Amino acid sequence: MTFPRIPAMGLLALSAVLLAAAASAGCSSDKKGTSPAAGGSTVDAIAKERGLTPEDVKHAVQQFVPPGKRDEYVMFSSGGQSGQVFVYGVPSMRLLKSIAVFTPEPWQGYGYGADAGAAVLKGGNPAIPANTDLTWGDTHHPALSETNGDYDGRWLYINDRANGRMAMVDLRDFTTKQIVAVPNIQTSHGGMFVTPNSEYVHISSTFPEPWPPGSYADVKEYQAKYRSASAWLKVDPATGRIDLSKSFEIELPPYNQDLADAGKLVSDGWGFIGSFNSEMATGGDSEGGVPLEAGASKNNFDYLHLINWKKAAEVVKAGKAPMQNGVPVISMKTAVQEGLLYLIPEPKSPHGADVDPSGRYIVVGGKLDPHVTIFDFNKIQTAIQNKDFEKSDPFGIPVLKFDSVVAGQVEVGAGPLHTQFDGQGHGYTSLFLASAVAKFTLGPDVVKNGEKPFTLVQTIPVHYNIGHLAVTEGDTAHPDAKYLVALDKWSIDRFQPVGPLHPQNLQLIDLGGGKGPMDLVADMPVGNGEPHYAEIMKASKLKPLVVYPPGTNPGTMQPDPNAIKFGQERVVRTGSNVEIWMTAQRSHFTPDILRVKQGDHVKIHITNIEQTEDATHGFAIADYNIQASLEPGSTTNFEFTADKSGSYNFYCTEFCSALHLEMAGWLLVEPSGSATIGQ
Ligand code: CUK
Ligand code: CUA
């Protein structure tokens, strides 16, 4: 296989093209007072000196976003074991923010004393098992909120692979507002999507657990006693928060439910969940069994689960779903009786399950099969109506006939995982084993420009071991065929070595509007947790706050009852409780001396009374493990017991002004037994 390259072009000819393009893009005002090229040199001279080919220069220009200009797209990437979400500009691939989600993060003061982050983290502790205090998570699959099947720029959801939790991030301030421990789900992986009008966020279990959760059963009783769940978490349409009281779940067989996607347009109202291990293998390699990986790869087919969630919501409304650990759960039996759960055989240890922009095609990649298999939703509906079943699975769930619902298969290469779409009739599938991205055509009703349906168009190598890929606006009904980012698990030899723990590699690929060949533009090392999946949204859809309205509590996004204005600062002592209302502005805290007694319970409410963009302060107290970020307009609350006597410096941790170092004060904790502090 050969890969297209841009035609060799003289450096001079190329730079002439680039300069002409720059001039026509209206750069004339920038020319005043500047030399024709950096450092008095020319593009050609720089390229020559640095050993860049014309192709390199072209790619640099494709990626370049000039100083002061903004990226066209924003990418939300999971941060894996860091428990965070990383936000990048695309195409520049510049890091804009790390959003603290499941893990304490000191810059944002998340989990270091202030109420908002602490409450969010605490709210995510599961009820079962009791007394669980989680301070890390494995962020996996981000899903942006949608309106009519398009990203709407309001909220972001992301699941915790390690602990079966779901987090909600408000895109007004890019902070985590809520973590929900999803009942009846111990671990979740890829069963993550938002329905086309953000009615529900979906997550399903990856590893089944004894049913009902909280009970005990040996894995020897796996088939009889273990179950999975498909959780439909209701989104409050005003706040984006998850409302567990209006959510529901569906009991599923103990297969490993994996990647999932929401139907849209023709298939709106349905969800599709792939699975592996229909063998129900449980490992036990040191107990005379076979390793899980071998046991789970025996069958030629596993099952794609089809769920009619609109019908499921009606079944719950009709009272046919008994409560289990705080949510109504539709049993498998009821789900089958009500005709809301079906299975489709999908080839050999499938991974991705992705719905195309038209909603008609569901593309499945089989890790151990060089094909992608494309199912047709119209055929699925006909097969369901005609009861065109080949059998039931061991739990009585009808299995549709593969041949009745498949639209086509395309041989794309070794190890197909995930598929994205460009809205131009193409799918792009990541090939883990081949370290490549394959571009192919979808069905006859969506191909364009006379292309042949279900045909491989191009393959491009990536570096290396690609997992997910993300196309601009890729999970919507209207993807932009502009860029694709390959999320590569290994980088091996691409970067300066930094020890045995290598960076991951995100690679920017230009899609040429879907018409041109894919073109690898840039590498970006990610020196942090593994980026599992990303979604890329047009930046113009975001309407973030630049400052909070005065006195806002970032946790609630409402006015904080303890917000104050300048001049309202005070200290109130009631017995051994000391409550302090403080303001912060450049470059002082008021009050700047806090007098308490050892053992006092201290509450501090700090309002940053500034409304100047970027005038953030911080607040940290030595030896008390307290650190907060005080963004302009915000009110932040702390509560702690002053159990250590002494004089403790507190200071502003954000370099806010010329006199930032002077923005400091003292917490004086008088040893107990002393009587100098009056009532
Ligand atoms: S999964 Cu498919 S490669 Cu965790 Cu989304 Cu990573
Ligand atoms: Cu306020 Cu530094």
Side-chain angles (χ1 to χ4, degrees):
M1 174 113 225
T2 56
F3 302 102
R5 300 239 166 244
I6 62 158
M9 193 197 274
L11 279 175
L12 270 173
L14 179 74
S15 59
V17 170
L18 296 177
L19 290 173
S24 69
C27 299
S28 55
S29 64
D30 292 350
K31 282 184 181 166
K32 279 181 223 137
T34 60
S35 54
S41 194
T42 64
V43 174
D44 290 340
I46 295 165
K48 201 170 165 207
E49 193 196 324
R50 300 195 59 211
L52 304 176
T53 66
E55 203 180 350
D56 293 334
V57 175
K58 187 192 109 172
H59 289 153
V61 173
Q62 280 173 292
Q63 187 188 15
F64 184 63
V65 175
K69 298 269 161 56
R70 296 180 188 180
D71 282 289
E72 186 180 359
Y73 294 94
V74 173
M75 172 162 73
F76 297 87
S77 167
S78 69
Q81 308 89 328
S82 78
Q84 303 178 348
V85 168
F86 302 129
V87 185
Y88 301 99
V90 175
S92 75
M93 309 298 275
R94 294 178 295 189
L95 177 65
L96 298 170
K97 189 161 192 176
S98 308
I99 304 173
V101 182
F102 295 113
T103 311
E105 198 285 325
W107 174 49
Q108 291 154 72
Y110 188 78
Y112 289 94
D115 60 343
V120 171
L121 284 167
K122 205 159 175 259
N125 286 329
I128 298 173
N131 306 317
T132 303
D133 197 10
L134 301 172
T135 57
W136 86 285
D138 186 1
T139 54
H140 256 250
H141 293 85
L144 289 159
S145 59
E146 295 182 9
T147 300
N148 297 324
D150 289 317
Y151 302 146
D152 58 20
R154 294 191 293 168
W155 312 306
L156 174 77
Y157 301 88
I158 191 153
N159 69 306
D160 173 9
R161 165 71 183 88
N163 303 293
R165 295 181 296 167
M166 179 72 72
M168 175 258 171
V169 174
D170 194 325
L171 296 180
R172 280 177 294 174
D173 62 351
F174 286 61
T175 66
T176 305
K177 301 301 176 197
Q178 187 189 27
I179 301 176
V180 171
V182 183
N184 306 312
I185 288 185
Q186 187 187 65
T187 58
S188 66
H189 181 221
M192 180 77 195
F193 57 75
V194 170
T195 54
N197 279 298
S198 302
E199 296 95 337
Y200 293 95
V201 186
H202 177 269
I203 192 70
S204 39
S205 352
T206 283
F207 277 80
E209 60 179 321
W211 201 256
S215 60
Y216 177 78
D218 193 288
V219 287
K220 289 186 179 117
E221 298 182 283
Y222 195 71
Q223 181 167 342
K225 298 271 179 75
Y226 281 60
R227 292 292 179 268
S228 292
S230 153
W232 298 79
L233 306 173
K234 183 77 188 146
V235 172
D236 182 310
T239 64
R241 287 172 198 246
I242 289 164
D243 184 350
L244 264 189
S245 75
K246 292 181 180 153
S247 304
F248 65 87
E249 296 183 353
I250 300 165
E251 177 196 10
L252 293 181
Y255 311 143
N256 291 65
Q257 280 72 22
D258 204 24
L259 278 297
D261 203 357
K264 54 168 82 85
L265 302 171
V266 292
S267 54
D268 188 16
W270 289 76
F272 307 93
I273 313 170
S275 68
F276 61 96
N277 196 15
S278 56
E279 298 86 347
M280 294 181 273
T282 57
D285 50 8
S286 53
E287 299 181 6
V290 292
L292 185 57
E293 61 171 6
S297 310
K298 263 194 247 155
N299 294 353
N300 280 329
F301 288 95
D302 289 290
Y303 294 122
L304 179 68
H305 300 50
L306 316 180
I307 290 175
N308 183 336
W309 61 262
K310 289 197 173 162
K311 204 174 228 181
E314 285 165 25
V315 166
V316 173
K317 227 181 183 176
K320 296 179 190 169
M323 298 295 281
Q324 177 173 296
N325 293 327
V327 283
V329 179
I330 302 174
S331 70
M332 284 194 283
K333 200 171 154 212
T334 303
V336 171
Q337 274 168 5
E338 299 284 340
L340 59 87
L341 175 63
Y342 300 92
L343 301 173
I344 292 178
E346 45 178 3
K348 279 230 162 259
S349 296
H351 193 57
D354 296 285
V355 177
D356 91 307
S358 77
R360 177 167 173 186
Y361 297 108
I362 303 124
V363 181
V364 168
K367 288 174 290 200
L368 304 178
D369 177 0
H371 297 86
V372 287
T373 300
I374 301 150
F375 297 106
D376 181 341
F377 184 75
N378 294 345
K379 288 185 170 183
I380 291 171
Q381 287 310 97
T382 307
I384 290 175
Q385 270 154 31
N386 298 342
K387 298 201 183 327
D388 194 3
F389 308 137
E390 66 173 49
K391 59 172 182 181
S392 296
D393 82 335
F395 303 90
I397 306 171
V399 180
L400 303 179
K401 275 200 198 108
F402 180 82
D403 290 337
S404 304
V405 295
V406 72
Q409 287 188 296
V410 183
E411 186 170 341
V412 288
L417 297 183
H418 301 283
T419 301
Q420 287 269 287
F421 307 93
D422 63 4
Q424 304 297 316
H426 304 116
Y428 299 82
T429 298
S430 53
L431 304 175
F432 179 81
L433 297 175
S435 282
V437 174
K439 173 182 178 181
F440 63 93
T441 52
L442 293 164
D445 56 324
V446 292
V447 293
K448 296 192 176 167
N449 307 314
E451 285 188 296
K452 196 162 164 253
F454 303 127
T455 305
L456 181 67
V457 177
Q458 187 203 353
T459 308
I460 187 173
V462 291
H463 314 87
Y464 303 91
N465 296 14
I466 180 174
H468 277 272
L469 30 63
V471 166
T472 38
E473 298 274 320
D475 283 320
T476 73
H478 304 95
D480 284 353
K482 252 197 141 151
Y483 302 107
L484 181 154
V485 172
L487 287 78
D488 305 330
K489 308 285 184 190
W490 286 20
S491 61
I492 309 183
D493 52 4
R494 302 290 280 192
F495 308 114
Q496 167 65 35
V498 288
L501 182 58
H502 289 44
Q504 336 274 329
N505 189 8
L506 301 196
Q507 291 187 299
L508 181 70
I509 292 171
D510 190 292
L511 293 183
K515 291 168 203 90
M518 291 181 279
D519 183 17
L520 178 63
V521 172
D523 279 23
M524 183 185 69
V526 178
N528 215 314
E530 184 188 347
H532 286 269
Y533 184 43
E535 286 190 334
I536 308 173
M537 177 168 62
K538 258 220 170 331
S540 57
K541 291 183 174 178
L542 288 163
K543 299 278 176 291
L545 297 169
V546 289
V547 298
Y548 288 107
T552 301
N553 181 316
T556 60
M557 296 298 266
Q558 302 292 324
D560 190 289
N562 287 301
I564 56 167
K565 297 191 173 81
F566 184 68
Q568 297 177 329
E569 300 88 351
R570 62 196 185 275
V571 178
V572 175
R573 163 177 287 277
T574 317
S576 60
N577 293 309
V578 181
E579 197 160 1
I580 298 150
W581 286 264
M582 186 190 274
T583 57
Q585 68 174 315
R586 280 163 292 171
S587 304
H588 51 271
F589 295 105
T590 310
D592 59 6
I593 297 177
L594 310 178
R595 295 175 189 278
V596 304
K597 274 188 104 146
Q598 187 175 11
D600 278 351
H601 192 73
V602 183
K603 286 184 181 172
I604 306 180
H605 316 286
I606 310 178
T607 302
N608 178 344
I609 55 177
E610 306 216 33
Q611 284 286 297
T612 305
E613 193 170 334
D614 215 356
T616 294
H617 302 285
F619 181 80
I621 308 177
D623 296 329
Y624 269 86
N625 206 37
I626 282 174
Q627 147 62 3
S629 172
L630 315 170
E631 294 91 5
S634 68
T635 297
T636 304
N637 304 288
F638 305 87
E639 203 169 323
F640 63 98
T641 300
D643 48 6
K644 293 178 276 268
S645 67
S647 170
Y648 297 93
N649 177 234
F650 64 79
Y651 78 108
C652 168
T653 50
E654 190 85 19
F655 205 116
C656 54
S657 59
L659 298 177
H660 151 77
L661 273 174
E662 288 81 350
M663 190 166 177
W666 283 268
L667 170 70
L668 299 175
V669 185
E670 202 174 338
S672 50
S674 158
T676 52
I677 300 174
Q679 293 288 353

